[in-house]
Amino acid sequence: MNTFAAKPQKGHEILPKTDQSGTPIGEFLEISMGPHHPSTHGVFRMDVVLDGETVVKLKPVFGYLHRNHEKIAENISYLSSMPYTDRLDYFCSMTNNWAYALAVEKLAGLAVPERAEYIRVIMAELTRLQNHTCLIGFFVQDMGALGTPMMYAFREREKILDLFESISGARMMCNYMRFGGVRVDVSDEWLAQAREIVANYGKFLDEFEKFLTENEILLARTQGVGVLPRDLAVSAGITGPMLRAAGVNYDLRKVDKYGFYSRFEFKVPVGEHGDIYDRYMVRVLEMRESIKILNQALAAVPAGPVMDPKAKLRGFRPKPGEVYGRVEGPKGELGFYLISDGSPNPYRYRVRPPSFINLTILEDMCLGHKISDAVVILGSVDIVLGEVDR
Amino acid sequence: METLEQIKLRLEQSQPLTKLDILANECPAGERSLVVVESARAADVARFLRDDAQLKLDFCSNVTGIDWPEMTVKTKVKKKVVVEGQEKEVEETVETLRPGYLEVVYHLYSMALKHGPLVLRVRTGNRTDRTQVPSLTPVWRSAELQEREVYDLYGVIFDGHPDLRRILMWDEFEGYPMRKDYVAPDDFEYEPTPHDKVLEAAKKHYPVEPKPEVKAEVKPEVKA
């Protein structure tokens, strides 16, 4: 985090604007957008240099929410970090829990009962639904559709959060998964409630799409804007819907087949242009695929225990070794890298935050566009500052 | 994907100067890793791993720093000792000092061939003055922000990084908070404010007047 405006890089000094003969014809405007700017989705700052309204240089600045999550986790036991993972990406606490549980299970060699795996898939896909819905609401708001679309999105999200609250006790900070299973079992009433919400979700998406997908303003603002070339996306380690919008078919649910994803039938939507519109479309289509997965999972939840009986909650000491576990979060690849030295605390605990790494190419996407487009491009990256700053 | 031994063999054939090691992993589900012995060769190794047709590790997923402080390693060695005319095997613990170092770990995957991970480790000379390693940002762009983070929190200096600045901590911060021996200050929030400077200047400008002596009150003795 820089407390002062970003120092110019070596060889990247912004020179005064001149015409061909070298006479000055005006100057660049350097503005600092944020950290308290409504379009930056949290305490995030962009140091932007503008030529008129065109972006010439853009440096993301963050760290305002930094609390050294990794250091905290290295000084407490494995289980105590589970509630902290909720606070990383506070929209998707269920997938954060799953990623951490997956890494620790790999480290300690724990098995997960079948019923718990099904519940995990259901929770993860519900999380994906509400995350993508909210994101579309936010980024339509960034384009100037103030309030109404976001409220529709939040109305639907709240239904899913009610489900989470009834099972875990908290809307957003669920702290639901445990090493070797999940914390509490779901009841039949809960499953019936979930089925009803999922059955109605498609109708909501149809309605939402009717307003947005062919909307003239949305098309004008998003098509051909913020294009991310395929090669750059791969090299820059972009993951999640942004990568797939750039035309790379890489979904960890298909590649790693973690959990029980190999049992479900679904497709991976892939874009071709890599612009904002493709990112929007990929997210909408992904939600439709999530509904398909949810329908299959909710129809086939088997009976049985939800915790591995061998899993220990207290006095948990995995054997020495290191693992890297990753899941496909709604924002991209969320990974946990753990090193155990046989003590109750991890020796090294590292989070691979998808929205942090997806910010690498923010400048490349914004250069040459107008400042108002930079806001929409940032919105389409889908960042959460709790995860970027950790 | 090929085994690590095959990759190591092919790498050493194509780059005779490079020395590599394979680090075992005690966790059965975890991956073993490839250690670049001389950190200066890391960029060449990385380019080979990315461009090789059989590997095509085009996706550098995760970049991490690890701090290994200096520590004494106890190993048990069996020795033959002659006791009372008979030869006996005695176990002895030998203490060796392992010098401290910082380590950068790269988790590499292939998006084209959908395999991985390959864990690549690069080590610094020590933890104080030889903390340079070559930056792999020119090879994989995804290392850009992550290497900045490793520099910020561990103090590894990446040669050839395009923009090596602190990223999560503020620019004026001193020390590397993720190191194992880092001691947190009592007050993180303290920073000298302009207000303090003004006070200091004022003190110099106006010499401090001597305080008037407080005379102790003399109480009349009360006799009972």
Side-chain angles (χ1 to χ4, degrees), chain A residues 110-121:
Chain A
L110 296 171
V112 183
E114 204 166 327
R115 186 176 173 87
E117 286 280 25
Y118 269 88
I119 296 173
R120 283 181 177 190
V121 169

Side-chain angles (χ1 to χ4, degrees), chain A residues 228 232 236 238 242 358-365, chain B residues 141:
Chain A
L228 177 61
L232 181 64
I238 308 303
M242 266 185 86
N358 287 0
L359 277 177
T360 313
I361 35 69
L362 184 64
E363 184 178 17
D364 302 56
M365 290 195 294
Chain B
R141 181 79 193 280

Side-chain angles (χ1 to χ4, degrees), chain B residues 130-156:
Chain B
R130 285 165 53 214
T131 55
Q132 288 95 340
V133 295
S135 167
L136 300 191
T137 307
V139 187
W140 294 288
R141 181 79 193 280
S142 66
E144 185 181 334
L145 292 188
Q146 301 189 72
E147 282 185 343
R148 262 178 81 182
E149 190 190 321
V150 174
Y151 161 73
D152 188 3
L153 303 181
Y154 283 94
V156 180

Side-chain angles (χ1 to χ4, degrees), chain A residues 29 60 70 76 92 121 160 176 224 242 245 269 320 330 347:
Chain A
L29 176 68
E70 294 173 6
I76 55 177
C92 323
V121 169
I160 291 174
Y176 180 61
M242 266 185 86
Y347 183 82

Side-chain angles (χ1 to χ4, degrees), chain A residues 1-2 322 333 347-348 350, chain B residues 61 65 67 167 169 171:
Chain A
M1 181 181 77
N2 291 315
E322 59 165 68
E333 172 188 331
Y347 183 82
R348 179 77 180 100
R350 149 87 178 164
Chain B
S61 167
D67 182 21
I167 186 167
M169 309 304 283
D171 279 348

Side-chain angles (χ1 to χ4, degrees), chain A residues 304-348:
Chain A
V306 292
M307 274 293 277
D308 183 6
K310 275 191 284 179
K312 276 175 23 178
L313 284 185
R314 299 193 182 276
F316 180 73
R317 286 162 181 255
K319 284 177 188 150
E322 59 165 68
V323 289
Y324 179 63
R326 53 179 197 163
V327 302
E328 180 74 36
K331 296 189 166 57
E333 172 188 331
L334 177 67
F336 279 83
Y337 176 56
L338 299 168
I339 300 183
S340 164
D341 59 351
S343 66
N345 306 346
Y347 183 82
R348 179 77 180 100

Side-chain angles (χ1 to χ4, degrees), chain A residues 90 93 130 154 157-158 160-162 164-165 168-174:
Chain A
Y90 41 78
S93 61
Q130 58 106 350
F154 267 55
R157 168 186 184 238
E158 209 58 38
I160 291 174
L161 292 190
D162 283 347
F164 288 168
E165 187 177 8
S168 71
R171 285 166 68 244
M172 292 164 81
M173 306 294 135
C174 296

